[in-house]
């Protein structure tokens, strides 16, 4: 048996199948690993409200790293809290409005949109959350000390390409992540899953060599590279596969379960 003390698992495209359901094989494998002493951290771009129900469905306790690793909590303790400054968030909202792009603003447990549309309904279907409708420029402009944890811009790929290019040229202390062709996620500079893993390793007093990380997309690549056991899903992006030491099956064939059993047995 390998001495794996921490498992960092992405949710969408990894732990959940293409229908956004939790395969029973994955649940059984994660519980088995927890029973063998591994802490289980769900690392996701999702907000806490869309993460904690999955943790509950798994039936394990442990840390969660939400908003791409910018918010890390464990047993009620906030270990990390990275935010986009309110002024920068307001500018980003304006940029999306000019381009007629949907923008969702996430702050703590709240999800704000200008109005409900096909994009927000799609996210509701995926996450089970319902947004709060508000005049975003006024809302974000009223924030003083604390800004947004994440902005999610949704639209046609060409529109997002244009926004990405425009924002990349500006010094805004943000990270631009294309999690889908139609999604551009904006998180604070310094946030990230690899950084979240390092915080948890320090908290636990362990080395990253004792971490099993599983993911499927470009945003997971730094984490897969940094972990001792970095596993890319069979449905993973080329960047994620290049960063990982090992590959497993797809999310529709319980690839997480296979990765857990193989890595713990020492035969990945």
């Amino acid at each position: 048996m390998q001495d794996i003390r921490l498992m960092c698992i992405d949710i969408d495209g990894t732990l959940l199948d293409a229908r956004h359901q939790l395969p029973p094989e994955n649940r059984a494998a994660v519980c088995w690993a927890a029973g063998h002493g591994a802490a289980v951290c769900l690392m996701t771009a999702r907000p806490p409200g869309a993460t904690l129900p999955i943790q509950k469905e798994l039936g394990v306790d442990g840390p969660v790293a939400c908003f791409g690793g910018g918010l890390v909590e464990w047993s009620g303790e906030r270990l990390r809290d990275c935010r986009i400054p309110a002024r920068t968030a307001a500018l980003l909202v304006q940029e999306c409005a000019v381009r007629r792009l949907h923008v969702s603003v996430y702050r703590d447990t709240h999800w704000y949109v200008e109005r409900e549309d096909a994009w927000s309904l799609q996210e509701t279907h995926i996450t089970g959350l319902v947004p709060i409708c508000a005049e975003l420029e006024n809302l974000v402009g009223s924030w003083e000390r604390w800004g947004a944890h994440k902005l999610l811009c949704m639209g046609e790929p060409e529109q997002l390409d244009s926004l990405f290019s425009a924002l990349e040229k500006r010094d805004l202390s943000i990270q631009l992540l294309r999690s889908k062709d139609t999604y551009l996620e904006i998180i604070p500079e310094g946030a990230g899953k690899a950084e979240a893993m390092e915080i948890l390793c320090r908290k636990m007093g362990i080395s990253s060599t004792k971490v099993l990380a599983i993911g499927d997309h470009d945003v997971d690549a730094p984490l897969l590279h940094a972990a001792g056991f970095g596993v890319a899903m069979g449905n993973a992006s080329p960047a994620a596969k290049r960063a990982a030491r090992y590959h497993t099956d797809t999310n529709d064939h319980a690839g997480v379960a296979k990765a857990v059993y193989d890595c713990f047995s020492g035969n990945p």
Side-chain angles (χ1 to χ4, degrees):
M1 290 280 288
Q2 294 292 322
D3 183 20
I4 295 173
R5 300 283 308 284
L6 173 65
M7 295 199 307
C8 300
I9 308 175
D10 175 55
I11 293 180
D12 296 291
T14 301
L15 182 65
L16 304 186
D17 62 24
R19 297 178 298 114
H20 306 290
Q21 301 297 310
L22 175 63
E25 300 94 330
N26 286 351
R27 182 185 186 279
V30 171
C31 289
W32 176 86
H36 282 78
V40 178
C41 178
L42 297 181
M43 284 197 169
T44 176
R46 291 181 175 223
T51 303
L52 296 178
I54 296 171
Q55 185 187 53
K56 183 177 181 180
E57 187 178 358
L58 272 173
V60 297
D61 294 322
V64 293
C66 300
F67 302 123
L71 178 65
V72 181
E73 296 184 324
W74 196 350
S75 300
E77 182 182 2
R78 187 161 289 193
L79 304 178
R80 191 181 203 210
D81 191 347
C82 296
R83 306 201 188 203
I84 300 169
R87 182 174 296 181
T88 301
L91 184 151
L92 295 169
V93 167
Q94 292 170 2
E95 289 284 349
C96 288
V98 168
R99 290 172 169 78
R100 298 184 181 278
L101 284 165
H102 170 96
V103 60
S104 288
V105 179
Y106 294 89
R107 188 176 191 245
D108 286 311
T109 59
H110 302 301
W111 168 26
Y112 300 102
V113 298
E114 191 77 27
R115 64 186 65 84
E116 291 233 51
D117 58 15
W119 295 108
S120 64
L121 291 173
Q122 176 178 280
E123 277 298 288
T124 293
H125 175 71
I126 293 171
T127 66
L129 301 180
V130 177
I132 300 167
C133 294
E135 293 185 3
L136 293 182
E137 287 193 38
N138 291 338
L139 173 70
V140 176
S142 70
W143 295 342
E144 295 180 1
R145 182 179 179 188
W146 298 110
H149 281 105
K150 184 182 85 164
L151 272 69
L152 172 60
C153 311
M154 294 184 275
E156 296 305 316
E158 298 78 11
Q159 292 176 292
L160 295 179
D161 289 343
S162 174
L163 177 63
F164 190 106
S165 179
L167 296 179
E168 198 173 31
K169 297 172 183 176
R170 306 184 67 164
D171 183 18
L172 296 175
S173 298
I174 55 175
Q175 296 183 63
L176 305 171
L177 309 171
R178 291 295 288 271
S179 53
K180 295 182 184 179
D181 287 344
T182 54
Y183 281 30
L184 173 60
E185 309 209 26
I186 305 176
I187 63 175
E189 188 174 62
K193 294 186 179 183
E195 291 82 357
M197 179 202 73
E198 291 171 1
I199 287 170
L200 292 174
C201 285
R202 288 197 294 271
K203 175 75 173 177
M204 297 175 67
I206 63 171
S207 162
S208 60
T209 60
K210 298 183 182 297
V211 178
L212 166 60
I214 314 173
D216 75 301
H217 209 276
D218 294 13
V219 296
D220 300 310
L223 170 67
L224 301 184
H225 179 74
F229 298 84
V231 183
M233 299 295 292
N235 52 285
S237 69
K241 288 182 176 179
R242 288 193 299 269
R245 293 179 63 190
Y246 312 108
H247 296 168
T248 186
D249 213 329
T250 68
N251 63 324
D252 278 334
H253 292 89
V256 164
K258 183 178 186 301
V260 168
Y261 293 131
D262 285 351
C263 288
F264 270 79
S265 69
N267 298 300

